[in-house]
Amino acid sequence: MCWMVALLAEDGMQYVYRVYAPGDALRGDLFWAAFHCHDESSRPRACDLFDSAQIWALAVDGSVI
């Protein structure tokens, strides 16, 4: 299943990451997967508060679940 995770960063931008995980994945695990992907890039630091992230699932055809 494909999950989208949006993280706020210090530059005021919102960065969105695609995370592939099972449908029963914990939201915290999805958040940390996206956060670590962002943290390894050269982009400004992302907010590490779980509640600041937006997480949603995508269906196989790309529609929002």
Side-chain angles (χ1 to χ4, degrees):
M1 177 164 221
C2 180
W3 297 88
M4 303 301 288
V5 182
L7 303 174
L8 295 175
E10 290 179 347
D11 63 355
M13 300 287 290
Q14 185 178 49
Y15 295 89
V16 181
Y17 294 90
R18 185 181 308 240
V19 177
Y20 293 97
D24 62 350
L26 299 175
R27 294 204 179 273
D29 292 338
L30 299 170
F31 168 78
W32 284 113
F35 182 81
H36 287 299
C37 181
H38 180 86
D39 201 37
E40 293 174 0
S41 71
S42 60
R43 296 179 181 97
R45 182 154 173 80
C47 179
D48 61 0
L49 296 174
F50 173 76
D51 291 340
S52 68
Q54 295 177 342
I55 302 171
W56 65 97
L58 291 181
V60 175
D61 64 2
S63 62
V64 176
I65 296 176

